[in-house]
Amino acid sequence: MSKVEFVFKFMRNIFWMFLLEGMLAILTGILIIVYPDLLGIFVGMLLIVGGIGALAAACKIKKFTKFKIEL
């Protein structure tokens, strides 16, 4: 039973990662509209944060795919 709860905790963490990444993208878009001169900096920051988030998610997915769920 603990394996099932562990997988659900992992899914909750992925939800928060995507939520925060989406909020950062919206904030970046608003700031680009207000300050168009900062476009390069904000796009670069968004790509770096998105890349780090994707790598973190890939590592967690790789780690947790070893478990088999038996109900």
Side-chain angles (χ1 to χ4, degrees):
M1 190 63 140
S2 63
K3 291 181 183 178
V4 173
E5 292 174 11
F6 197 64
V7 171
F8 289 145
K9 182 178 177 184
F10 165 69
M11 294 303 290
R12 192 173 28 235
N13 289 337
I14 287 183
F15 163 77
W16 283 109
M17 182 192 72
F18 284 129
L19 181 72
L20 292 175
E21 188 174 345
M23 291 173 61
L24 180 64
I26 291 169
L27 179 65
T28 302
I30 291 170
L31 288 174
I32 287 172
I33 291 171
V34 174
Y35 303 107
D37 296 335
L38 298 177
L39 175 64
I41 294 171
F42 285 132
V43 169
M45 286 175 27
L46 184 64
L47 289 172
I48 290 171
V49 170
I52 291 171
L55 288 174
C59 290
K60 287 187 178 195
I61 289 170
K62 174 84 171 156
K63 179 180 176 182
F64 294 126
T65 54
K66 296 177 185 174
F67 290 114
K68 293 185 180 180
I69 299 173
E70 296 179 12
L71 299 175

